[in-house]
Amino acid sequence: MWKSILPALLLIASCLGTPVSQTRRFPNDFLWGVGSSSYQIEGGWNADDKGESIWDFLTHTHPEKIADQSNGDISADSYHQWRRDVQMVKELHAGTYRFSLSWPRIMPGGYMNHVSTAGIKYYSNLIDELLRYNITPMVTIYHWELPQKLQELGGWTNPEIIPLFKDFARLVLEMYGDRVKIWTTINEPWHVCEHGYGVDYMAPSYNFPGIPAYLCGHNLLKAHAEVVHMYRDLFQKRQGGRIGITLDTSWPEPRNPDSAEDREASERAMQFYVGWFGHPIFSKHGNYPKVMIERIRNLSKEQGFGIRSRLPEFTTEEIHRIRGTADFFGINSYTSNLVTSNGHNNTGGFPVPSFNHDMGVVESQKEVDWPGSGSVWLKVYPKGMYNLLMWIHREYNGPEIIVTENGVSDRGGLEDYARVDYFNQYLSAVLDAIEDGVNISGYIAWSLMDSYEWKAGFSEKFGLYHVDFNSPQRTRTPKISARVFAQICKTNTIDWSYRPNLDQEQKLVAMAHLPAEEEQMLRSSGAQGAISWSLMGALLLVLLR
């Protein structure tokens, strides 16, 4: 019991200023990094000869779909401020910077017939600057920036995407592979497919449930495998790098742990969210998870689709070609949900057909008292991270895992102690998993700086650095969490007692750059951060029950 409540006790002690120190150490060779993605930070949407992306198209034609009707046309302007970005990574003592390549910046129309010299040069300069400071580039080839011209051909639902993605990957591996030693093919394929095609959420925002997402996933897995085989055949031996993929999920916690039905719902959710792409690559036999194949086939038949399942089938040759195409397992995770079975009467009210109806799981955070964040979907439950890492370890026979994204949002301000607490708690969960035998080799914090958060626009902040989006220079200012994460990276330890403050000069400088609402938060942070002894005592009693 004490191991499970120790982080909370240390958090209480640190809030009270009690001189209790508990440091926990990561392995000496642990990889520490910070992350970003091209559309979220670069801006320069039409700089030089860059082509239009699906996110340019969505935000320009349907601004009403974005929470604050904003777009990423300029964002943090990393297309021009990349040297400052590298300095920030250096200040954090992070040995790795995870970033992505914009396909339309390098190939404006998506095809090899037009390659942008300016686009190639931009990433080459960034990579060289990172290496100058001994920072390892970790490059994502595809992080949701599809050229709009290719979307007009059907995007990831058209099998033509497979050779086109392979062409793009071949070019960047040739251009940068001598200097980049860690690659991921695709970031979060579940979001690419289900949120892009199944519902009206991420670009291209099809809102066509139950069919195109599975076509997308099928082509995406084949494209991933072709790129990995190409890398292994042509590049890996002489370049000496590694290549993997990054999947994502929120941990599905059974609503009632004593209910067999809720535990089955949790397992089914993991097979649909992670197994959809994880099972074909990482499992012993490959292919989609059995539960996914059977449920979608049976439901397709019941729904009048005939004998043909809405989930496409792999040939035996394709199963073998996809299986084993990753040198490591990248996982992004932020939060957890309580889950229960949807049941035959569709209590979740899901469209028929749809991914959610096929999965047959109802997710909710309404019944929990987990701390919130700046995002309605993100509640803090560190045990979920531990459970997720243990599940991947058991399910796929102990693969090397890199946590490629983990972080928390707020609505602004520099004194982000909630983010400090989040990192301490989630990193403790990661360390618990390591100590229990999981092969976790690295952790990439999300994110380096405040940026464009997709459908949330600029309303939610995940950054270790604040960005003044009203400044022509997009001035970056370190938050409290930047100082704490730098200490973690530098010392390889979690130190719950380390809670630095902004000095008066830093506050004055910060207030000069912050919007009015964030300035007020900074002025009042002392009062807001004060926690009484009686409240702490009450919290302690709850924890010890």
Side-chain angles (χ1 to χ4, degrees):
M1 182 191 81
W2 284 103
K3 182 179 179 181
S4 64
I5 69 169
L6 181 60
L9 294 174
L10 291 167
L11 174 58
I12 292 170
S14 65
C15 289
L16 294 170
T18 307
V20 175
S21 179
Q22 165 79 5
T23 58
R24 302 187 67 195
R25 180 172 292 278
F26 282 81
N28 291 333
D29 59 351
F30 197 73
L31 178 155
W32 293 104
V34 284
S36 68
S37 84
S38 52
Y39 184 76
Q40 291 181 270
I41 66 167
E42 284 178 6
W45 82 274
N46 61 352
D48 300 307
D49 53 348
K50 179 186 172 290
E52 184 181 34
S53 76
I54 55 175
W55 276 94
D56 294 325
F57 182 82
L58 175 69
T59 57
H60 293 164
T61 56
H62 292 287
E64 74 281 359
K65 292 189 175 185
I66 310 302
D68 55 8
Q69 299 194 13
S70 63
N71 56 55
D73 288 3
I74 303 174
S75 189
D77 197 28
S78 287
Y79 190 62
H80 299 103
Q81 305 294 337
W82 53 272
R83 285 187 181 86
R84 172 61 180 136
D85 294 350
V86 174
Q87 286 299 312
M88 287 150 54
V89 181
K90 180 175 177 285
E91 290 165 11
L92 290 168
H93 299 281
T96 302
Y97 181 42
R98 177 178 181 254
F99 64 94
S100 71
L101 306 174
S102 168
W103 191 341
R105 191 176 299 287
I106 292 172
M107 289 182 179
Y111 285 88
M112 283 291 295
N113 68 317
H114 182 187
V115 175
S116 168
T117 302
I120 291 289
K121 184 179 179 182
Y122 169 68
Y123 294 111
S124 186
N125 288 339
L126 174 59
I127 291 165
D128 286 344
E129 186 78 355
L130 289 165
L131 294 175
R132 180 183 167 196
Y133 294 102
N134 296 316
I135 298 165
T136 299
M138 182 179 189
V139 177
T140 302
I141 299 173
Y142 184 79
H143 195 134
W144 308 357
E145 263 208 281
L146 189 70
Q148 176 61 21
K149 289 293 185 184
L150 299 189
Q151 188 56 55
E152 289 164 13
L153 294 176
W156 287 97
T157 66
N158 185 343
E160 177 67 9
I161 197 73
I162 300 167
L164 293 178
F165 182 63
K166 188 176 177 182
D167 285 345
F168 174 50
R170 185 196 307 269
L171 176 66
V172 300
L173 291 169
E174 287 174 345
M175 291 291 107
Y176 309 129
D178 60 326
R179 292 163 288 163
V180 175
K181 306 306 177 187
I182 312 178
W183 295 92
T184 49
T185 53
I186 295 162
N187 179 76
E188 297 186 353
W190 181 87
H191 273 85
V192 173
C193 295
E194 174 58 14
H195 268 181
Y197 295 88
V199 296
D200 181 7
Y201 198 70
M202 299 293 191
S205 199
Y206 262 35
N207 198 23
F208 186 167
I211 297 173
Y214 298 132
L215 300 176
C216 165
H218 209 64
N219 292 327
L220 187 150
L221 280 162
K222 291 182 187 179
H224 157 82
E226 289 307 309
V227 168
V228 173
H229 282 291
M230 176 180 64
Y231 182 67
R232 289 175 174 172
D233 292 343
L234 302 179
F235 300 101
Q236 193 166 36
K237 189 173 181 180
R238 61 184 168 90
Q239 293 180 349
R242 298 190 301 152
I243 193 165
I245 190 169
T246 283
L247 310 184
D248 77 287
T249 191
S250 300
W251 170 252
E253 182 76 9
R255 187 172 69 181
N256 178 359
D258 296 326
S259 163
E261 187 178 31
D262 287 357
R263 292 196 304 271
E264 288 169 9
S266 173
E267 176 63 20
R268 195 161 64 247
M270 285 300 295
Q271 295 295 347
F272 268 73
Y273 279 120
V274 176
W276 181 3
F277 300 96
H279 204 275
I281 297 170
F282 295 98
S283 71
K284 183 177 179 181
H285 300 292
N287 205 355
Y288 294 120
K290 183 179 178 182
V291 66
M292 203 171 177
I293 294 171
E294 291 179 351
R295 283 183 66 89
I296 298 172
R297 181 182 61 216
N298 293 339
L299 285 168
S300 296
K301 188 175 181 180
E302 288 176 19
Q303 292 155 1
F305 287 91
I307 60 171
R308 187 179 176 200
S309 175
R310 288 177 284 105
L311 180 67
E313 293 183 14
F314 288 121
T315 65
T316 302
E317 182 183 359
E318 288 168 342
I319 290 171
H320 291 310
R321 188 150 180 84
I322 294 168
R323 188 169 63 85
T325 53
D327 298 329
F328 59 86
F329 192 123
I331 186 68
N332 296 352
S333 191
Y334 293 81
T335 190
S336 299
N337 294 301
L338 294 185
V339 298
T340 189
S341 180
N342 186 38
H344 294 294
N345 57 352
N346 193 13
T347 54
F350 301 127
V352 180
S354 66
F355 171 86
N356 282 326
H357 185 261
D358 291 338
M359 181 170 63
V361 174
V362 178
E363 302 166 279
S364 175
Q365 292 180 334
K366 293 179 181 177
E367 302 169 31
V368 298
D369 56 359
W370 305 334
S373 69
S375 307
V376 66
W377 56 270
L378 202 171
K379 293 187 184 298
V380 181
Y381 183 64
K383 184 68 184 301
M385 175 62 87
Y386 171 84
N387 292 340
L388 170 61
L389 294 168
M390 294 301 297
W391 187 93
I392 294 170
H393 176 74
R394 289 191 302 264
E395 184 73 8
Y396 300 123
N397 195 30
E400 177 188 346
I401 299 170
I402 301 176
V403 177
T404 40
E405 284 183 28
N406 179 239
V408 71
S409 62
D410 57 29
R411 291 293 172 141
L414 296 182
E415 295 189 296
D416 56 340
Y417 291 106
R419 181 169 290 109
V420 171
D421 297 335
Y422 180 96
F423 281 132
N424 285 340
Q425 291 173 297
Y426 273 72
L427 282 169
S428 290
V430 171
L431 197 47
D432 288 343
I434 292 173
E435 291 172 353
D436 288 342
V438 182
N439 180 16
I440 305 164
S441 62
Y443 177 95
I444 311 293
W446 186 269
S447 62
L448 174 58
M449 72 194 101
D450 294 339
S451 59
Y452 188 78
E453 286 298 333
W454 310 112
K455 290 295 285 286
F458 296 107
S459 64
E460 299 172 9
K461 320 288 189 182
F462 279 83
L464 292 161
Y465 281 74
H466 172 273
V467 177
D468 180 1
F469 292 106
N470 296 313
S471 160
Q473 292 77 33
R474 297 303 195 263
T475 306
R476 284 100 155 108
T477 306
K479 304 177 186 179
I480 292 291
S481 61
R483 294 169 63 181
V484 173
F485 191 69
Q487 182 80 354
I488 291 170
C489 294
K490 185 178 180 180
T491 64
N492 232 26
T493 59
I494 309 166
D495 184 352
W496 288 82
S497 66
Y498 182 59
R499 298 179 73 80
N501 299 306
L502 295 179
D503 61 36
Q504 195 58 34
E505 183 179 350
Q506 287 175 306
K507 287 190 177 185
L508 290 172
V509 171
M511 284 190 288
H513 293 298
L514 294 177
E517 63 274 16
E518 292 188 42
E519 179 182 338
Q520 182 56 39
M521 289 173 63
L522 188 60
R523 289 184 186 276
S524 60
S525 59
Q528 291 174 338
I531 304 177
S532 70
W533 279 97
S534 58
L535 176 58
M536 285 299 106
L539 283 170
L540 185 57
L541 286 172
V542 170
L543 287 165
L544 293 174
R545 279 177 184 166

